[in-house]
């Protein structure tokens, strides 16, 4: 009953708010894309196009609002790459034999990429970035909560059935993408209960990845941990938090999980890999052969399963690699555009985490860390699963692109003084006295250490120096 009430209530609210405040409609769309209500509560929620109703109202509101802007700053490059990729998929869908499958691929990609770009045009403040981050975390965290509930009730639903049309591997990679978001929201949130919720969801996600028995998911979580180590503030307190998280994950991984993960690398005495691991390597080799034969256009969108039988695989067999299957189906051009979208986004977002990079709000660095960590885990783990229509990586990338957009805008230095006054207010939300030696002050000091002196807000506006974070001198400081 709760699922039905939530689904109908969120659909009505998302559609109504989408007409007048399209960003809230977008948040409802994102939550449904991750939660998949008819899969989460199949016994009470009938299949229907709930997201379509929200999306339609959101598009009307977006077309009428003055809030949207296409001034994307440094986010423009990844947006161009993913847009051209959609166009390339559209062109490639005209010539394959199985036209229905080809256009189904294009439809799935369009349903993800267009809302993502609309969401980016609607982001105009840090507040909206935070709302998006918490929406993603809450939706993915609740999914992890339900999977843990099944597991501790005696049935490993995630391993044997997956979730929302995804197998255990795809669902695990969705969790990998969300775990970095959960961890850094826990590290950087100001309120204690926010930290508790974020770390609780992070623990649920980590445990779900482990009992999914997905080797790609486990490897992705390790890579996400390495990404977190690279970008986390270099202080004993934050290293201690990361260390506790690593120890907790190691404790939760029992002998069966560790043995399963090690089969990824260990060969038998005959020199062969475990059968499942070897089959993936063979599939990738066949995909590379298709790329050699069709380097420009590939065999067509969604066509690899149809030609897998010509290489001795069962009809309909997936390539078990997002990157290899994309290359086989859309050629090296399509692969370059798609992989380039993620790698360019990761690179630009990573640069925002550098101490010498100027930002106009410390939350820009915090959110960049979330996005960078999640995308690193996804890019590696996606090598082991075909999942181009998984939504959460796009929205995790959107968080970073939103920061790139906002931090590229010219800002008055007086805005920074206003933020400083707000952050250093003696009376905190919990009523506690602000301690200049506290960790919150250390965070503030680190994030603003690269700034020039503030210009008083009461000075004449003609004296204000306009600062663009994309053009500031970056000779001082280190990575």
């Amino acid at each position: 009953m709760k699922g039905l009430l939530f689904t109908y209530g969120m659909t009505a609210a998302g559609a109504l708010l989408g007409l007048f405040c399209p960003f809230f409609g977008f948040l409802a769309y994102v939550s449904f894309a991750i939660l998949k209500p008819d899969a989460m509560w199949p016994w009470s929620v009938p299949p229907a196009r709930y997201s379509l109703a929200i999306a339609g109202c959101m598009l009307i509101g977006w077309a009428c609002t003055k809030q949207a802007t296409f001034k994307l700053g440094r986010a423009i490059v990844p947006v161009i790459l993913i847009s051209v990729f959609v166009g390339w998929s559209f062109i490639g869908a005209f010539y394959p034999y199985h036209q229905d499958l080809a256009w189904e691929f294009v439809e799935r990609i369009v349903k993800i990429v267009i809302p993502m770009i609309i969401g980016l045009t609607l982001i105009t403040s840090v507040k909206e970035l935070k709302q998006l981050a918490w929406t993603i975390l809450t939706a993915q965290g609740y999914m992890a909560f339900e999977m843990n509930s099944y597991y501790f009730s005696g049935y490993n639903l995630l391993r044997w059935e997956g979730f929302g049309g995804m197998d255990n591997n795809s669902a695990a990679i969705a969790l990998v993408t969300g775990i970095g978001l959960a961890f850094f929201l826990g590290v950087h949130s100001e309120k204690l209960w926010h930290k508790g919720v974020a770390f609780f969801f992070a623990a649920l996600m980590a445990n779900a990845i482990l009992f999914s028995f997905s080797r790609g998911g486990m490897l992705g979580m390790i890579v996400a941990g390495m990404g977190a180590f690279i970008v986390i503030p270099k202080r004993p307190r934050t290293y201690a938090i990361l260390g506790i998280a690593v120890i907790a994950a190691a404790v939760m991984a029992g002998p069966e999980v560790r043995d399963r993960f090690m089969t990824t690398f260990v060969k038998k005495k005959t020199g062969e890999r475990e059968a499942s691991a070897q089959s993936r390597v063979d599939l990738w080799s066949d995909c590379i052969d298709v790329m050699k034969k069709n380097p420009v256009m590939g065999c067509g969108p969604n066509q690899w399963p149809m030609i897998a039988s010509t290489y001795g695989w069962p009809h309909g067999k997936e390539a078990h690699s997002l990157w290899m299957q994309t290359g086989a189906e859309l050629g090296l051009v399509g692969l370059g555009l798609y992989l380039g979208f993620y790698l360019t986004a990761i690179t630009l977002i990573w640069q925002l985490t550098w101490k010498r990079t100027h930002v106009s709000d410390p939350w820009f660095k915090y959110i960049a860390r979330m996005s960078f960590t999640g995308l690193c885990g996804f890019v590696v783990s996606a090598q082991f699963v075909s999942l181009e229509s998984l939504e959460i990586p796009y929205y995790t990338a959107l968080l970073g692109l939103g920061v790139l957009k906002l931090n590229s805008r010219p800002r008055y230095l007086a805005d920074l003084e206003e933020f400083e006054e707000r952050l250093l207010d003696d009376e905190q939300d919990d009523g506690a006295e602000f301690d200049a030696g506290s960790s919150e002050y250390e965070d503030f000091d680190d994030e603003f250490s690269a700034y020039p002196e503030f210009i008083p807000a009461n000075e004449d506006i003609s004296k204000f120096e306009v600062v663009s974070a994309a053009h500031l001198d970056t000779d001082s400081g280190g990575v």
Side-chain angles (χ1 to χ4, degrees):
M1 187 65 178
K2 66 177 181 181
L4 186 65
L5 292 175
F6 170 82
T7 303
Y8 285 171
M10 182 64 77
T11 302
L16 181 61
L17 290 174
L19 291 171
F20 304 100
C21 185
F23 185 73
F24 285 111
F26 172 70
L27 294 180
Y29 186 88
V30 170
S31 66
F32 273 18
I34 298 173
L35 270 178
K36 306 182 189 304
D38 53 342
M40 180 67 72
W41 304 286
W43 56 87
S44 63
V45 180
R49 309 193 76 173
Y50 306 106
S51 295
L52 181 62
I54 297 173
C57 294
M58 177 188 69
L59 282 170
I60 294 173
W62 176 75
C64 298
T65 187
K66 295 181 180 179
Q67 177 186 1
T69 172
F70 282 93
K71 295 179 180 180
L72 305 182
R74 298 184 72 198
I76 190 65
V77 176
V79 170
I80 289 174
L81 287 172
I82 194 64
S83 300
V84 176
F85 172 76
V86 173
W88 189 256
S89 304
F90 184 85
I91 295 171
F94 280 100
Y95 69 88
Y97 179 77
H98 300 279
Q99 286 280 291
D100 54 338
L101 295 177
W103 289 110
E104 179 185 330
F105 175 93
V106 174
E107 180 184 357
R108 288 201 308 265
I109 292 296
V110 167
K111 285 180 178 179
I112 299 172
V113 173
I114 289 182
M116 183 194 76
I117 295 175
I118 288 175
L120 181 59
T121 66
L122 292 171
I123 291 173
T124 58
S125 68
V126 176
K127 181 180 178 181
E128 289 162 344
L129 285 173
K130 289 182 180 180
Q131 290 170 346
L132 176 59
W134 279 104
T135 298
I136 297 171
L137 175 63
T138 305
Q140 193 65 65
Y142 184 79
M143 176 268 194
F145 173 79
E146 289 289 346
M147 296 302 105
N148 275 270
S149 298
Y150 278 105
Y151 177 75
F152 288 110
S153 297
Y155 179 61
N156 194 344
L157 177 71
L158 185 60
R159 181 181 184 183
W160 301 119
E161 297 184 30
F163 171 73
M166 301 181 289
D167 64 6
N168 65 316
N169 297 299
S170 299
I173 292 172
L175 292 165
V176 166
T177 311
I179 199 168
L181 174 67
F183 175 76
F184 278 111
L185 269 176
V187 170
H188 293 304
S189 291
E190 293 89 358
K191 296 182 180 180
L192 187 61
W193 74 273
H194 285 179
K195 291 179 179 289
V197 170
F199 283 134
F200 175 67
F201 280 147
L204 291 179
M205 292 180 199
N207 196 44
I209 292 167
L210 294 173
F211 64 66
S212 72
F213 286 85
S214 168
R215 290 169 294 192
M218 296 177 203
L219 180 60
M221 185 164 63
I222 292 172
V223 172
M226 295 170 62
F229 178 79
I230 292 172
V231 299
I232 198 168
K234 307 301 186 285
R235 290 191 296 274
R237 178 176 65 90
T238 51
Y239 279 143
I241 295 173
L242 183 59
I244 291 171
V246 172
I247 293 171
V251 170
M252 287 189 291
E256 188 178 1
V257 172
R258 291 194 293 268
D259 291 343
R260 170 69 174 170
F261 178 70
M262 292 309 299
T263 59
T264 307
F265 311 101
V266 177
K267 294 185 178 181
K268 300 178 182 179
K269 294 180 179 180
T270 58
E272 297 180 352
R273 296 180 180 86
E274 185 263 343
S276 177
Q278 184 61 45
S279 69
R280 278 172 165 76
V281 175
D282 295 338
L283 278 165
W284 301 344
S285 298
D286 294 337
C287 285
I288 291 173
D289 184 65
V290 175
M291 289 184 234
K292 290 178 179 178
K293 294 177 180 178
N294 304 278
V296 179
M297 298 299 298
C299 62
N302 236 5
Q303 302 300 301
W304 162 258
M306 300 297 102
I307 67 171
S309 58
T310 63
Y311 287 90
W313 301 101
H315 183 74
K317 180 74 172 177
E318 298 285 350
H320 285 282
S321 171
L322 174 61
W323 314 124
M324 292 297 171
Q325 186 158 334
T326 300
E329 293 180 344
L330 294 169
L332 295 177
V333 176
L335 176 60
L337 291 168
Y338 194 41
L339 186 58
F341 162 70
Y342 283 110
L343 294 182
T344 303
I346 288 173
T347 301
L348 293 174
I349 293 166
W350 177 45
Q351 291 174 1
L352 285 171
T353 68
W354 296 355
K355 186 174 181 179
R356 71 185 185 189
T357 300
H358 297 263
V359 293
S360 52
D361 190 312
W363 269 95
F364 286 170
K365 285 187 183 290
Y366 303 164
I367 294 171
R369 289 167 187 153
M370 302 173 199
S371 182
F372 174 81
T373 304
L375 291 179
C376 284
F378 166 74
V379 166
V380 173
S381 55
Q383 175 60 25
F384 302 91
V385 181
S386 300
L387 69 177
E388 68 282 341
S389 57
L390 182 65
E391 292 92 346
I392 188 170
Y394 295 90
Y395 300 130
T396 303
L398 174 59
L399 283 171
L401 297 181
V403 174
L404 287 168
K405 171 189 173 182
L406 297 183
N407 200 52
S408 299
R409 298 184 306 176
R411 300 291 298 259
Y412 292 117
L413 290 180
D415 292 344
L416 302 181
E417 183 182 37
E418 179 183 351
F419 181 82
E420 180 192 37
E421 292 174 353
R422 175 169 58 85
L423 188 65
L424 294 177
D425 188 1
D426 290 339
E427 294 298 324
Q428 302 301 299
D429 290 336
D430 57 2
E433 190 74 17
F434 186 80
D435 180 7
S438 68
S439 59
E440 288 83 3
Y441 182 82
E442 291 174 0
D443 290 343
F444 170 85
D445 188 56
D446 278 356
E447 304 306 341
F448 282 89
S449 60
Y451 279 109
E453 294 183 1
F454 292 117
I455 295 177
N458 58 2
E459 290 286 340
D460 186 83
I461 195 169
S462 63
K463 298 180 181 179
F464 287 171
E465 177 184 356
V466 179
V467 178
S468 175
H471 299 90
L472 284 174
D473 177 37
T474 58
D475 291 337
S476 61
V479 176

